[in-house]
Amino acid sequence: MTTGILSGAAGRVSDAVLRDLGGTHGGRAELALLAAGQHRLRLLQLRALSDAVAQHPGPAAAGFRRHWALLEAADRFDRDATRRVLFYPFVGPWVRRCLLRLGTGGHGPELSHELAYLGALAAAAAVRAGVPFALRLDDEDGALPLPTLGALGATGGGGQQAFGTVELLFDGDVLTVTPQADAPAAIRRGPDGSWRSDDPRWFPLRVLTGGPRPVLLDEIDPFRTQGSGLERHCPRAGDRLTPAESDQWQHAWAGAMAVMHLGGETRPAEVGDLLECFVPLLPSPGAGPHTSGVSRSGTRREAFGAVLSSIPQSPGNLAATLVHELQHAKLGALADLVPLHTADAQRRYWAPWRPDPRPFDGLLQGAYSHLALAEYWQLFARDTKDAAERDKAWAEHSRCREQVGAALPALAGSRSLTPEGRVFVNAMVRQLTRLKDHPPPEGHLARASAYVETARGMWWRRTSGGESPVYVPS
């Protein structure tokens, strides 16, 4: 299954690509390079998992081999459809979790349960590839998820009751799922690409339409927040978006692209080439219209292509979230191709957008995403005809620009940068300089500078007990 992609070496990332990405840009070729690197890494991890399981014979390993064989059959029949499932963002956290368990000697029931998830992946891949199969899976959680398709779950109130053994039969058109001692559910592909059933136990993944391509809204996958630190912000198992909340997501997604085009063509291209799915998070306290500062969002480096976010309050809110979060995805993918620094993980750096000290990598990630936001809001402000929106955009641009200007000296002056990292950070510096060619209206920079200076003073007093140094605006 891995021979085709893994036959060639990853190769060196050229200085030209590093400069383009360092300026927070990157054309389709650069974005394809990042995605291909993540896909190559995923296949390597899957092969490593297969090899590790082979060293531990037993019932779990036997089941793993059967599921792997179905996955290979699907891959031979329709590679693109199969790899849509294999490259789905949350396969990353799953395979990483299994490898960690195997590497630390954890071979108990929990590992067996998690390895069995390969059966769900194989079934979903075979369905998408159109490969008929019969498969038996075990459900212990009260829901049987099929990645990229949906999940079969219990209906009614009360707790989730496990199905036990579940039979799956696919004839190339209809997927029939039959829980032990329960009626079967027939699932078919709908006209919008989602997999639907009249059975109330089946919960399809919602498909958001109207953007560069359909994007999944995933509130089902068991690994979407597991191990991320965002578990407490995720709705409880079994909780689903209301129809009104789903409509809010659809409205924001359909309108976000028009807003993003006001900020240039780079950002819509990033969405079209990198985004696979959204994961709904619980809203932040006080969230409401035009309150992007309290929206909650994040990405996971091991879940490339996923953006986790509270319900967007408007298309503009979602557009800014995508600009911000996809820079984290880009930088994480680049760092998997080439090391940018050798700094440790000690939290010692001031980040103007955070109250807590950050490690070097966190500072680099934050500065990079805020640099992209600074350009986005500048282009938005120069293009929009709405006076109120223009003023808000200039304020956002000024804040982001001053924050990046305050953070860049620590990055650019660091001896921890590799040669590639030096090229990348120097490109960030040049991009910040270019942004100054179009200054905001009078007053915006002064307010942003005062905001950053106050933040630095508070951080300095909190962490050192002394007086903060003089802040020099960028």
Side-chain angles (χ1 to χ4, degrees):
M1 181 172 61
T2 61
T3 303
I5 285 184
L6 297 184
S7 59
R12 178 179 178 273
V13 178
S14 70
D15 285 359
V17 170
L18 289 168
R19 284 192 291 268
D20 204 10
L21 291 173
T24 76
H25 298 134
R28 303 301 288 268
E30 288 77 13
L31 297 176
L33 174 70
L34 298 179
Q38 290 297 292
H39 296 166
R40 185 183 297 109
L41 178 61
R42 177 69 52 78
L43 293 173
L44 282 168
Q45 290 171 331
L46 286 166
R47 177 57 67 182
L49 179 58
S50 176
D51 292 345
V53 170
Q55 302 302 313
H56 301 90
F64 188 93
R65 287 193 297 272
R66 289 194 299 272
H67 300 154
W68 187 272
L70 177 58
L71 200 56
E72 288 189 319
D75 196 58
R76 287 191 298 269
F77 191 79
D78 188 334
R79 174 168 290 192
D80 289 342
T82 300
R83 296 194 175 185
R84 179 182 177 186
V85 177
L86 292 183
F87 297 153
Y88 192 59
F90 308 119
V91 178
W94 167 74
V95 70
R96 183 174 181 270
R97 186 178 179 89
C98 290
L99 286 170
L100 287 172
R101 282 196 185 276
L102 286 163
T104 56
H107 304 143
E110 291 161 344
L111 176 63
S112 297
H113 175 62
E114 288 180 351
L115 287 177
Y117 187 67
L118 181 67
L121 287 174
V127 167
R128 287 200 172 275
V131 175
F133 68 90
L135 190 65
R136 176 179 294 176
L137 298 177
D138 292 322
D139 164 54
E140 301 176 5
D141 304 318
L144 180 69
L146 297 175
T148 77
L149 304 182
L152 192 75
T155 59
Q160 296 279 84
Q161 183 175 357
F163 286 123
T165 301
V166 182
E167 302 280 352
L168 286 80
L169 180 65
F170 182 58
D171 63 6
D173 180 36
V174 179
L175 174 65
T176 303
V177 183
T178 308
Q180 182 179 349
D182 207 344
I187 302 158
R188 296 175 174 84
R189 184 184 180 95
D192 63 350
S194 64
W195 290 80
R196 299 194 170 275
S197 174
D198 293 331
D199 195 302
R201 294 169 299 171
W202 175 252
F203 300 104
L205 282 188
R206 292 178 171 89
V207 179
L208 299 178
T209 58
R213 60 190 176 95
V215 168
L216 295 177
L217 185 60
D218 195 334
E219 49 186 323
I220 291 172
D221 196 287
F223 294 95
R224 64 195 187 279
T225 58
Q226 195 173 85
S228 68
L230 291 169
E231 294 92 340
R232 66 188 185 279
H233 303 308
C234 196
R236 295 175 300 173
D239 287 352
R240 300 274 288 168
L241 294 172
T242 66
E245 289 170 336
S246 295
D247 290 346
Q248 195 171 349
W249 268 103
Q250 177 58 54
H251 169 72
W253 168 247
M257 290 303 99
V259 177
M260 293 187 82
H261 278 290
L262 294 178
E265 295 305 312
T266 296
R267 308 311 168 200
E270 291 171 352
V271 173
D273 290 357
L274 303 182
L275 184 66
E276 291 289 338
C277 69
F278 288 106
V279 172
L281 298 177
L282 295 172
S284 301
H290 310 298
T291 54
S292 61
V294 296
S295 295
R296 179 177 286 130
S297 65
T299 52
R300 304 181 63 181
R301 183 163 173 174
E302 69 274 24
F304 180 79
V307 169
L308 298 81
S309 173
S310 52
I311 298 174
Q313 302 302 311
S314 67
N317 175 272
L318 181 58
T321 294
L322 286 168
V323 171
H324 180 115
E325 298 299 345
L326 289 178
Q327 303 317 303
H328 291 310
K330 286 166 59 182
L331 184 50
L334 178 61
D336 282 335
L337 290 174
V338 58
L340 299 176
H341 65 83
T342 59
D344 59 30
Q346 184 175 345
R347 296 172 176 267
R348 61 164 67 93
Y349 294 93
W350 170 59
W353 45 87
R354 293 279 296 255
D356 53 328
R358 302 295 291 153
F360 186 87
D361 194 68
L363 184 67
L364 178 61
Q365 280 276 359
Y368 187 64
S369 62
H370 280 77
L371 181 61
L373 279 171
E375 182 194 46
Y376 168 77
W377 286 119
Q378 183 186 69
L379 292 172
F380 185 103
R382 293 171 60 193
D383 195 275
T384 185
K385 304 299 188 291
D386 186 291
E389 290 294 330
R390 184 186 309 116
D391 188 69
K392 175 187 172 184
W394 278 125
E396 293 286 349
H397 159 76
S398 300
R399 176 180 59 81
C400 291
R401 178 184 137 177
E402 292 301 288
Q403 288 174 326
V404 175
L408 267 180
L411 296 170
S414 175
R415 295 180 180 179
S416 297
L417 291 173
T418 63
E420 294 85 358
R422 180 71 58 193
V423 174
F424 184 85
V425 171
N426 284 346
M428 291 177 63
V429 173
R430 286 192 294 272
Q431 173 66 358
L432 180 64
T433 301
R434 282 192 291 269
L435 294 180
K436 298 177 183 179
D437 291 342
H438 299 281
E442 186 176 355
H444 282 291
L445 281 180
R447 287 189 290 272
S449 297
Y451 172 84
V452 172
E453 183 176 5
T454 299
R456 180 172 358 212
M458 293 174 61
W459 184 87
W460 189 268
R461 287 189 292 273
R462 185 166 55 248
T463 57
S464 69
E467 291 297 321
S468 63
V470 175
Y471 168 59
V472 180
S474 65

